[in-house]
Amino acid sequence: MATGIQRRTVLTAGVVSTLFAAAGCATGGARKAGPALHSAATGQIKGTVSVWSWDVAAKALKRLAPAFEQRHPGVRIEVVDIGYDNAYDKITVGLKSGKGLPDVLTIEGGRLPGYIGVFPGGLYDITALAGRYRTSFAQAAWKYVTDGKGKVFALPWDSGPCALFYRTDILKDAGVDPASIRTWDDYIGAGERIKAKTGKKLLIMDPEEDSMFPMLLQQQGQHYVKNGLIAVNDQQGVRAATLLKTLADKGLVQFEKGWDGLVAATKAGKAATTPYAVWWSGTLTDEMKELKGKFGVVPLPAFDPGGVRTSNNGGSALAVTGQTKNAAAAWAFVEFMLADTANQASMLKAEGLFPAYLPALKDPYVTAPQDYYGGQPVFKTFADLASSVPPVEDTKDMPKARDIVNGTVSGIVLHGKDPKKELDSAAKQIAAATGRRIAG
Amino acid sequence: MTTLPARAATPPRTPARPTAPRRVRLLGRGAAVLVLTVGALVSAVPFYWMVVASTRDNAELFASPPPFLPGGRLLHNLVALQHSIGFGRVLLNSVGVSVVYTVLSSLISAMCGYGLAKFRFRGRGLLLGLVLATMMIPFQVLLVPLFQMMASLGWVDTYQAVILPFLANSFGIFLMRQAFLGFPDELIESARMDGAGDLRIFYRIVLPVVRPQLGALVIFSFMTQWNAFLWPLLMLNTEDKYTAPVALYTLIGQSHVDYAGLILGSFLATLPVMLLFFLFQKQFVSGLLGGAVKG
Amino acid sequence: MAQQTTARKPAAAARAKAAPARARRRTSRTTPWMFAGPAAALFGVFFAYPLLAGLYQSFTADRDGVTTWVGLAQYRRMMHDPVFWTSLRNIALILLVQVPLMIALALVMAYGLNQSWLRFRATYRIACFLPAVTMLVAYSVVFRVLLKTDDGLVDQALTAVGLPSIDWLNSPGWARIALIGSITWRWTGYNAVILLAGLQGIGREQYEAAAIDGAGPATTFLRVVLPQLRPVILFCLVTSTIGTLQLFDENYVLTKGGPGNATMSPVLYLYKVGFEQLDFGYAAAIAWVVVLIIGLISYAQFRFLGKDATR
């Protein structure tokens, strides 16, 4: 007789794996030291180099690969566009299981410290070869490709120096001179004036995936951790969160969800400014052609008069994976793409990737006036700021801290919670998750 | 004891009820039609907007307010989609993977469901437990170990790695088990007395009776594999081998998203599922009526 | 071919009446495995190890890149993790509201779709099934456009009829309601199809018998349809409960768990812990607690609702 599901069966479902565990299955254990590349290949390089990338980065790689193949006839470059949305799931699974990765990975700067720290040996140690480029790349970008001991695990590609994009027409209507916005206090004052005169909000934020808070922290020379101690709730952290809270409390923030929300609201002209990274320019020129001539760029407002007028948001790097069987060729390709003035400059022109490689910023294209911005040479503004982006200390615990802080910031901004109290609580959660101590 | 009668030759419809007053009945029907119409509209409106988005320029979608009527860029978007991700090819890949998966998985699930429902055997409880356990455990936590297995087998970037791990589909097994529970043991017994083998009984006598559920299983299996994204993304490393959802997701970039292409692609990708649904619905609804009653 | 087999059945049924049911005792030992074997083998090969590895992982932590045994430490950490508890409370609320609402709607939908007098049945069926076949990526874009603040299509509809505009995704209460609504939108038709398949199995003469007894539509539904459908309803209930307890897709694409964790679910949280925070040990521990909760609830559902339904 067919009976219903028995108690025994459902219990089995719960304990079935316990039985397996009893059989004993130990994995893990101490890891061996990661692979390191010490000297460039002496002989001829050959074989296939596979590269994972996405979006315009993949396009750039595909475009320039033939030139590399021509220079090294024995090598074939295979670029795979893995999409951006779940790229890190794919990369993380490959790193975690120690299998299945290509020779070269595209990784964003913000993800690197976590990967370097949590998966030792996951990426090739390229210190011996890449070390000589240390001064050729923007300081802040170089910081995120190195670990705490100064070992290099990737070569920076593009970087995201930040400035303030503004709508020339809205600021004009409100009678606000963009050059007069020198501090965040000026910024708030301008916002109130704009709101009163035009009814427009000052900026757009997605409280769940906030990039403002880390940007404001980096502007003050730190991220979530300082000297190995949790520092989100220190004076700088509270100052950044309070600024965001003030903007929200005064009704100057347009809240939107996700990337599409940001783009749509900007296109609809809901906000007068966007404090964002250089790559936002690509979105403006691609998606908002009809707004040509209506945008301008000034350096980011500072916290104190005379203070740092920029920060960083985004930027990526190319890394040679520890799983590669063709490290020499993989490195040669990375070097060809990134430590090369002509190639870096061509990727700025064709794909809008703003070089972290400083020599490329001397390209005439950078100083040229940009039509879209009514003739303002905006890339020069960013290039001038690029070298003064404060480098910040990031550790493998950065992803945990970022996740926890994101939830906290949305509470402060949306629900008016007290910045200090909330950040203290976030610091405690980070401490519980990472075992780190809280500074101060 | 069985509760579900296996009268496959009888029409599953409500007959006219001469006892209910005509007016009440009409009122009831009116209400039912209203509820269904509202339900159908609510279901279809977002879908309608996909049609709108498919025929618009990417930038138009961000207009405020969003557009509500179709535009004229369908052909343009279609060409762009074929150019950007080779849509025709990835669609064919998807068809191949999904058809193979659906046929094998439905068969294996139906057989296992039958075994669990109609036989008592050592290990049955354990197997049923395992079926339920795999349904209960969040997929996300299985990703890494399963990936390790596939990589050790050297199956990365192959279709068998996409298909095989999920062939035994716990949802399908459970669905079919519940369906078979109602099948009368007497029928099986008498067929055995006639000398029919177990497999023959299964295919010729038992399976046809649960055709409605089998039809649903086929549709769901196809749909699951057709829409599967994360696992195929993890497994496939060659753009030429991508399935449709994996390829469509590459349209989501870091600072640029091709929404028009994305929505057009997803809209077109639902059409095969709709077709299948249409075919199997007809099959499992009217097929059971035999020729006895007119449709 | 199908036609032939159905035609045979009445004869077989007649013979079956005469024979006592001893089906199981007569089959050989290997017969059940002939049916269950392939699936069992696949599960054994592809799931035993991942399940086992996941459980082992929940007792470990990453210490400077080395996987270390930490006993129950991850489980203890969960006890004091405010986000985890918030996610449990959220999911309990969604479960209590959304699953019964959806099953009831699906039942009404399926019953309506099964009526012989209904015109354009195929059209209705397809319309109701549309949400289930929509790809997740399109679903996310479409719902964001629908639910956008100020000028989303839903908001425009609200203001058009004189209702106040609602900030759907940025206020905790409305975000939960939007989430419940969008889950229901996506899965009601799916469950209706399963229930419809179950309704097809109810014989005409049972309706006729009820009609002869003078039962109206409501009485027929309660006395004939519901009891007959119980195994199928139970199936929908259990799978929907499991689906809701494993809620991930909808809140991942709509709200990312926000605002302020108001729509965070345990599985979204464990995904974030594992794949964003790279803390696989803790993620596995959360997963097993989720499994335990699902197991207990499923058991309760079978216990209280399944008794005679699965006989």
Side-chain angles (χ1 to χ4, degrees):
Chain A
M1 182 153 281
T3 52
I5 291 181
Q6 305 288 320
R7 175 194 310 218
R8 193 160 49 97
T9 305
V10 177
L11 288 180
T12 314
V15 300
V16 64
S17 325
T18 318
L19 297 174
F20 292 138
C25 165
T27 56
R31 294 196 192 218
K32 55 185 188 303
L37 206 53
H38 290 297
S39 55
T42 42
Q44 213 186 4
I45 50 169
K46 54 179 189 291
T48 304
V49 174
S50 52
V51 190
W52 285 357
S53 197
W54 52 75
D55 201 1
V56 288
K59 276 198 195 103
L61 293 169
K62 284 179 182 172
R63 182 170 63 80
L64 292 171
F68 180 81
E69 288 170 338
Q70 214 159 35
R71 192 179 294 181
H72 303 278
V75 185
R76 212 169 65 81
I77 304 292
E78 218 169 64
V79 180
V80 185
D81 184 345
I82 59 170
Y84 178 67
D85 214 37
N86 292 75
Y88 292 108
D89 293 347
K90 196 169 160 80
I91 293 171
T92 303
V93 167
L95 283 169
K96 175 75 184 162
S97 50
K99 292 190 177 85
L101 288 180
D103 303 300
V104 176
L105 284 176
T106 309
I107 303 176
E108 279 169 283
R111 296 273 182 167
L112 266 169
Y115 283 150
I116 293 171
V118 176
F119 303 115
L123 304 177
Y124 244 94
D125 176 354
I126 51 174
T127 316
L129 297 168
R132 63 197 171 101
Y133 293 117
R134 197 170 66 86
T135 50
S136 307
F137 285 90
Q139 229 190 328
W142 192 259
K143 183 90 181 179
Y144 65 59
V145 300
T146 51
D147 70 357
K149 297 178 196 100
K151 283 188 190 164
V152 185
F153 290 94
L155 216 49
W157 187 343
D158 60 326
S159 72
C162 295
L164 187 67
F165 290 85
Y166 63 90
R167 280 284 293 262
T168 47
D169 51 340
I170 298 178
L171 260 61
K172 201 173 165 200
D173 288 348
V176 172
D177 174 13
S180 73
I181 304 175
R182 292 188 191 89
T183 65
W184 288 111
D185 288 336
D186 296 342
Y187 184 63
I188 293 167
E192 287 179 304
R193 195 179 163 101
I194 291 165
K195 196 184 171 198
K197 296 261 171 150
T198 67
K200 303 275 186 188
K201 300 281 174 81
L202 184 58
L203 76 163
I204 299 155
M205 253 184 90
D206 177 353
E208 282 323 304
E209 283 175 281
D210 172 52
S211 60
M212 282 286 283
F213 186 70
M215 184 183 86
L216 294 174
L217 279 182
Q218 181 159 8
Q219 192 181 10
Q220 301 176 80
Q222 70 175 69
H223 257 168
Y224 311 114
V225 169
K226 205 156 59 184
N227 303 322
L229 302 173
I230 297 162
V232 285
N233 57 336
D234 68 1
Q235 195 199 336
Q236 284 76 10
V238 174
R239 209 169 174 195
T242 308
L243 170 60
L244 294 176
K245 181 172 156 31
T246 311
L247 288 166
D249 287 352
K250 290 184 184 287
L252 303 177
V253 182
Q254 171 75 27
F255 292 109
E256 295 286 347
K257 273 275 168 282
W259 179 254
D260 44 338
L262 174 66
V263 174
T266 306
K267 197 175 162 71
K270 288 185 183 172
T273 71
T274 315
Y276 224 25
V278 57
W279 40 264
W280 177 241
S281 178
T283 309
L284 295 181
T285 49
D286 284 356
E287 315 266 346
M288 300 170 215
K289 296 191 176 70
E290 75 282 4
L291 295 178
K292 187 178 170 185
K294 292 192 174 164
F295 284 97
V297 176
V298 288
L300 216 55
F303 273 90
D304 298 302
V308 179
R309 297 287 303 267
T310 187
S311 182
N312 185 70
N313 178 3
S316 45
L318 284 179
V320 178
T321 67
Q323 298 171 26
T324 182
K325 299 226 160 51
N326 200 357
W331 161 252
F333 181 62
V334 171
E335 192 178 29
F336 168 83
M337 289 296 297
L338 305 183
D340 183 296
T341 309
N343 285 344
Q344 281 270 23
S346 97
M347 289 190 283
L348 171 65
K349 278 175 238 176
E351 283 91 17
L353 295 163
F354 194 81
Y357 187 61
L358 296 172
L361 294 178
K362 300 209 168 65
D363 192 271
Y365 180 79
V366 173
T367 47
Q370 299 294 319
D371 264 1
Y372 187 86
Y373 297 89
Q376 189 193 353
V378 289
F379 288 128
K380 185 169 184 313
T381 310
F382 285 106
D384 292 344
L385 293 171
S387 51
S388 58
V389 175
V392 290
E393 172 183 343
D394 273 324
T395 69
K396 74 186 173 81
D397 297 329
M398 163 141 170
K400 291 180 190 171
R402 182 176 48 206
D403 239 28
I404 291 166
V405 168
N406 258 347
T408 307
V409 170
S410 89
I412 295 170
V413 173
L414 281 178
H415 310 304
K417 295 187 178 162
D418 178 59
K420 175 70 180 154
K421 233 168 77 186
E422 291 300 302
L423 288 174
D424 280 344
S425 147
K428 277 194 203 112
Q429 284 180 51
I430 297 171
T434 63
R436 270 178 205 278
R437 285 189 300 120
I438 301 171
Chain B
M1 237 241 290
T2 54
T3 44
L4 278 185
R7 290 185 193 83
T10 53
R13 299 178 164 202
T14 46
R17 290 182 209 86
T19 46
R22 201 179 144 74
R23 200 151 21 112
V24 173
R25 203 175 61 205
L26 281 179
L27 206 68
R29 286 183 182 183
V33 168
L34 189 73
V35 168
L36 280 177
T37 307
V38 170
L41 277 179
V42 169
S43 299
V45 160
F47 218 73
Y48 166 76
W49 198 81
M50 286 174 71
V51 177
V52 174
S54 308
T55 57
R56 293 268 182 171
D57 179 69
N58 205 26
E60 287 177 302
L61 299 181
F62 295 116
S64 173
F68 198 71
L69 290 173
R73 311 230 332 155
L74 181 63
L75 201 65
H76 180 273
N77 288 343
L78 203 57
V79 172
L81 191 64
Q82 175 61 25
H83 180 74
S84 59
I85 58 171
F87 193 61
R89 172 173 198 132
V90 297
L91 219 48
L92 278 182
N93 292 345
S94 266
V95 169
V97 169
S98 303
V99 166
V100 170
Y101 174 83
T102 304
V103 170
L104 293 177
S105 175
S106 303
L107 187 65
I108 289 169
S109 301
M111 284 170 68
C112 183
Y114 181 63
L116 286 173
K118 288 294 160 193
F119 296 90
R120 236 176 219 300
F121 54 97
R122 190 178 285 273
R124 172 171 158 275
L126 185 76
L127 180 59
L128 192 53
L130 193 62
V131 169
L132 292 173
T134 53
M135 200 153 63
M136 290 172 192
I137 187 135
F139 170 60
Q140 287 78 0
V141 81
L142 299 175
L143 285 182
V144 171
L146 207 51
F147 182 90
Q148 275 170 331
M149 263 180 95
M150 296 299 119
S152 305
L153 291 167
W155 284 3
V156 172
D157 208 23
T158 65
Y159 287 132
Q160 70 256 34
V162 174
I163 295 172
L164 273 178
F166 301 99
L167 262 191
N169 165 7
S170 47
F171 171 88
I173 294 171
F174 188 30
L175 179 78
M176 294 317 287
R177 175 189 179 268
Q178 295 300 90
F180 287 124
L181 280 179
F183 190 86
D185 294 334
E186 297 83 5
L187 281 178
I188 301 173
E189 180 62 15
S190 80
R192 258 184 213 132
M193 290 186 137
D194 289 351
D198 280 295
L199 275 179
R200 190 182 159 83
I201 294 173
F202 176 67
Y203 287 115
R204 306 300 300 263
I205 296 174
V206 183
L207 216 46
V209 176
V210 295
R211 261 197 357 208
Q213 283 91 345
L214 195 62
L217 176 64
V218 165
I219 292 170
F220 292 154
S221 303
F222 187 84
M223 214 174 85
T224 308
Q225 184 60 55
W226 184 259
N227 289 345
F229 162 65
L230 193 52
W231 185 249
L233 170 75
L234 293 180
M235 279 299 123
L236 300 175
N237 289 335
T238 311
E239 286 175 39
D240 282 349
K241 289 182 187 167
Y242 278 0
T243 56
V246 177
L248 284 172
Y249 265 87
T250 64
L251 296 175
I252 303 178
Q254 197 172 351
S255 59
H256 177 85
V257 184
D258 179 5
Y259 287 106
L262 198 59
I263 295 180
L264 172 63
S266 343
F267 174 73
L268 291 177
T270 56
L271 296 182
V273 190
M274 296 310 303
L275 184 72
L276 189 82
F277 179 72
F278 190 73
L279 291 176
F280 272 78
Q281 264 280 292
K282 250 186 132 122
Q283 168 82 1
F284 81 64
V285 175
S286 54
L288 283 169
L289 302 178
V293 186
K294 54 184 186 292
Chain C
M1 180 195 88
Q3 226 73 320
Q4 292 169 0
T5 46
T6 42
R8 263 163 197 248
K9 203 97 39 48
R15 255 170 289 149
K17 292 228 161 62
R22 258 182 239 111
R24 237 160 268 110
R25 255 161 278 161
R26 289 184 173 228
T27 53
S28 77
R29 221 174 246 265
T30 51
T31 311
W33 288 108
M34 191 168 69
F35 290 104
L42 284 165
F43 275 128
V45 170
F46 292 112
F47 281 91
Y49 170 69
L51 283 171
L52 172 73
L55 189 70
Y56 170 77
Q57 205 166 48
S58 75
F59 298 111
T60 66
D62 172 75
R63 297 267 183 268
D64 296 317
V66 180
T67 305
T68 318
W69 179 269
V70 295
L72 290 171
Q74 303 284 19
Y75 292 90
R76 276 198 297 273
R77 184 178 147 198
M78 218 180 305
M79 297 300 114
H80 304 287
D81 183 344
V83 183
F84 174 69
W85 287 105
T86 307
S87 75
L88 280 188
R89 273 195 300 276
N90 292 338
I91 211 69
L93 178 86
I94 293 173
L95 191 67
L96 287 175
V97 178
Q98 192 268 329
V99 173
L101 176 78
M102 178 176 70
I103 302 288
L105 277 175
L107 201 55
V108 171
M109 206 184 252
Y111 193 60
L113 291 176
N114 195 38
Q115 298 304 313
S116 56
W117 49 262
L118 185 71
R119 288 182 187 206
F120 312 115
R121 269 193 301 175
T123 314
Y124 278 115
R125 283 198 181 119
I126 286 192
C128 293
F129 194 60
L130 276 176
V133 299
T134 309
M135 276 189 183
L136 189 65
V137 54
Y139 171 87
S140 73
V141 177
V142 171
F143 266 80
R144 290 240 209 97
V145 169
L146 287 174
L147 297 174
K148 242 167 43 173
T149 317
D150 295 345
D151 54 9
L153 295 175
V154 171
D155 242 32
Q156 286 186 42
L158 285 180
T159 40
V161 295
L163 290 169
S165 140
I166 289 169
D167 195 358
W168 286 105
L169 298 177
N170 288 319
S171 99
W174 289 118
R176 287 199 188 105
I177 289 172
L179 182 63
I180 288 173
S182 50
I183 302 170
T184 309
W185 180 83
R186 192 163 176 223
W187 295 110
T188 302
Y190 188 90
N191 283 292
V193 169
I194 300 173
L195 291 168
L196 185 59
L199 281 173
Q200 307 286 329
I202 299 176
R204 178 190 218 172
E205 52 303 321
Q206 283 168 289
Y207 290 107
E208 278 165 359
I212 289 165
D213 292 346
T219 325
T220 311
F221 184 76
L222 288 176
R223 287 225 316 257
V224 178
V225 177
L226 272 188
Q228 292 273 337
L229 222 49
R230 249 173 104 156
V232 189
I233 295 176
L234 180 70
F235 173 82
C236 287
L237 198 64
V238 170
T239 52
S240 299
T241 302
I242 293 177
T244 298
L245 287 168
Q246 293 188 351
L247 179 65
F248 175 79
D249 286 350
E250 288 85 357
N251 52 349
Y252 178 74
V253 300
L254 281 183
T255 59
K256 287 273 192 293
N261 293 326
T263 57
M264 183 62 78
S265 62
V267 175
L268 178 55
Y269 184 50
L270 81 84
Y271 167 82
K272 284 192 163 200
V273 167
F275 283 87
E276 285 179 12
Q277 304 182 11
L278 306 178
D279 194 341
F280 289 93
Y282 190 38
I286 298 173
W288 280 100
V289 170
V290 172
V291 171
L292 198 69
I293 293 171
I294 295 177
L296 286 174
I297 294 179
S298 304
Y299 172 64
Q301 285 176 332
F302 277 112
R303 184 79 198 270
F304 295 114
L305 302 167
K307 251 183 193 155
D308 40 55
T310 46
R311 276 199 303 164

